[in-house]
Amino acid sequence: MNNLIRACKNWILKYFKHTYPYIILLLVLFIPIFVYIPLLGGIGLVVLIYLISVEVRMYNFDEEKRIEDGAKEEGELKSVTEHAIFNMPYPMVMLDKKGVITWQNSEFSNVVGEISRTARIFDIIPAINLSNLEKENEEFEFSYKDKMYQAIVDKVIKHNEVYRYILYFTDVTEFLNLKKLYVREGLVAIYLFVDNLDEVKAQGDESYRAKVQSVIDTGVTNYFTDYNGITRKYESDKFLIAIDRENYNKIKNKKFDILDKIREIEVGNTIPITLSIGCSDIGKTPLEKYTKARSAIDIALGRGGDQAVVVSDNGYDYYGGKTKAAQKRTKVKARVIGYALKELIKDADNIYISGHKNPDMDAIGSAVGMMAAVQLMGKKAELILGDDTGAINGLLTMMQDESPEIYNSIITPEEAEKKYKTGDLLILTDHHKPSLSPSMELSERADNIVVIDHHRRADEFIQNPALTYLEPLASSASELVSEILQYMIEDKKLSHFESSALLAGIMLDTKNFTVQTGIRTFEAAGMLTRMGADTEEVKLLFRDDYEDFITRASATETTEIYREKYAIANVKHTNNAIVIAAQVADDLLKIEGVKASFVLAEIDSMETHLSARSIGDVNVQLIAEALGGGGHLAQAGARLKLGIVSSEEELKSAIDNYEKEN
């Protein structure tokens, strides 16, 4: 009975899915009519049965037509699909799971020619292998008969495993050739400055100056013309060059030998002519490339010139910079910086001054000089110092005795971070890397920063400083501060302690006026001595205690002569390891035949400090930069996140690379 009811229900829903409510209503109406007026009810029932039969026939007719239309469309789709597959303009092939070809279209046959029925795709096209088909990345490229193709793999799955592979090929030879052409002929922007044109011209008369200008112009223009470059001079010592990437790479492979060619020019000049070059092939538009090249040449100039700086995906690459730059600073810049800094100090709400981490005499001396300038201007400043002051304890004792107002203004990096707010001024001396600041967080967060430094500019630099005084030709940051003080405090004088601190900074970095010393260095030292500094008193600040003396002697005993001209030594972990490393590095240069010295100081089990020195024949800055550091040609340093043994291995590897490239 239930089955009969279910069958009736299904029949009704099949044929009268939308009209069955009306049929039920008619049946309900016909029942009383049939009872009271049988004739009329019988006629109505016959009519209802007729209508039901008509509805059933119409449904069956529509269903048959739908099936017929579906079969027709399926046939047409099959026909179109077969036509599309067989007439596809791209090669197409079907493989079984072992790589045997089971079917191919005509385009594939045109590419590979006649093949046997059991041929495998790997035998016909060796560049394709089973791993190409199985890997998740379903696209790959391969070469065949001097053409390049891109293949798309479609997997037919049956019973949860691959039943067939379908490969579609696209000839991408022309596209790849165009891509290579773009890479080869893409625009590269180059700025070129002559570092010392005025100094070279000043050595002779008018005819000599014209000859110098002509030789330089011809040398630069001919050099880049040989590489199909376009050269335009827009000032007497400035050139703009456009060149394609292929020829640019040739110049890079020759390590910008134009630096050497121009340096070798001799027309009666006693000063070698040097260039600074900034290059960029990074950028979507020519304007963007030239903008990046302009920033690169600023870095080249900030590093002392005589080098090329190339913008790369990972920052900057450096070429050249092997010679010691001649001192050619003018007092005009010091005066401009002095006046600008004076205005910044006047406008600042609060002033914070900081040398670098593990401060030496130059870092603290230049910072003290700036503290003095601020106080003489009638404002207050605070000196940021951490607890890593082992190298300057003698000067701090002197500060406490002679200048308690500065000593009492010392705050920790953590305090400075909390106190600094918008409208304050942060002055950084003897460094320009945020990572070298006592508070890296503050040097990155502060919105009003002044940088005074004498180290060559590195990739890492303070973001958007309000004022930068970066002079790699100066002996020390203390020398730079001494110069600008003349234009900030005018007729006022520094105290005995303040002038002594600045002189100590100069004496440290010049090794008592024996290295990196020019006329401006002696002028600054002379000014400081007139204000009360005494060189003999300052020398006492550099004395060692007994333990440091013994540690230095022990470090000297570890010396190894590497490659016959490099002295390498190690300093064990002590509170003053960094200072001792610098002292030992200086001492090792006294060994006959040693051109450069490197001393590794153990900070902890996974951190090592490097002090590097040179007599001038070896550019230790390049070696230090390879290890993540920097500095000058004759004096550099680095901090390695390695133990001392691994650091020595890295150092020797950097020396080996330097020897290969030079």
Side-chain angles (χ1 to χ4, degrees), residues 138-153:
E138 297 177 345
E139 292 187 11
F140 61 93
E141 291 182 357
F142 67 91
S143 61
Y144 181 70
K145 291 184 178 180
D146 299 325
K147 288 191 174 184
M148 288 296 299
Y149 294 88
Q150 184 181 52
I152 300 175
V153 183

Side-chain angles (χ1 to χ4, degrees), residues 194 196-218 233 236-237 239 265-269 273:
V194 183
N196 52 355
L197 182 61
D198 292 339
E199 288 78 4
V200 174
K201 283 184 174 182
Q203 294 183 303
D205 56 17
E206 186 62 35
S207 62
Y208 164 80
R209 291 193 289 273
K211 186 176 182 181
V212 168
Q213 186 73 65
S214 175
V215 170
I216 293 174
D217 292 352
T218 303
K233 185 174 76 169
S236 62
D237 58 349
F239 297 81
I265 290 177
E266 292 185 2
V267 287
N269 53 301
I273 303 169

Side-chain angles (χ1 to χ4, degrees), residues 122-148:
F122 319 124
D123 299 327
I124 297 171
I125 306 177
I128 298 178
N129 54 60
L130 191 59
S131 64
N132 295 133
L133 308 180
E134 293 177 342
K135 62 186 179 181
E136 292 184 7
N137 183 4
E138 297 177 345
E139 292 187 11
F140 61 93
E141 291 182 357
F142 67 91
S143 61
Y144 181 70
K145 291 184 178 180
D146 299 325
K147 288 191 174 184
M148 288 296 299

Side-chain angles (χ1 to χ4, degrees), residues 59-97:
Y59 174 85
N60 289 334
F61 176 78
D62 291 341
E63 184 68 13
E64 289 173 2
K65 190 174 186 306
R66 186 182 64 79
I67 293 173
E68 182 183 344
D69 291 344
K72 184 179 179 181
E73 289 177 1
E74 185 178 348
E76 290 178 353
L77 178 62
K78 184 177 180 181
S79 175
V80 170
T81 302
E82 289 177 353
H83 178 81
I85 292 175
F86 285 100
N87 295 279
M88 182 180 290
Y90 306 108
M92 177 179 175
V93 61
M94 185 182 297
L95 317 171
D96 67 14
K97 59 185 179 181

Side-chain angles (χ1 to χ4, degrees), residues 263-282:
R263 197 186 303 112
E264 292 167 0
I265 290 177
E266 292 185 2
V267 287
N269 53 301
T270 58
I271 301 174
I273 303 169
T274 63
L275 305 177
S276 290
I277 301 174
C279 313
S280 175
D281 67 345
I282 307 295

Side-chain angles (χ1 to χ4, degrees), residues 634-653:
Q635 181 174 319
R639 187 66 67 93
L640 293 82
K641 296 295 183 181
L642 297 168
I644 197 163
V645 175
S646 298
S647 295
E648 184 169 338
E649 293 173 356
E650 290 293 313
L651 170 61
K652 289 181 177 179
S653 177

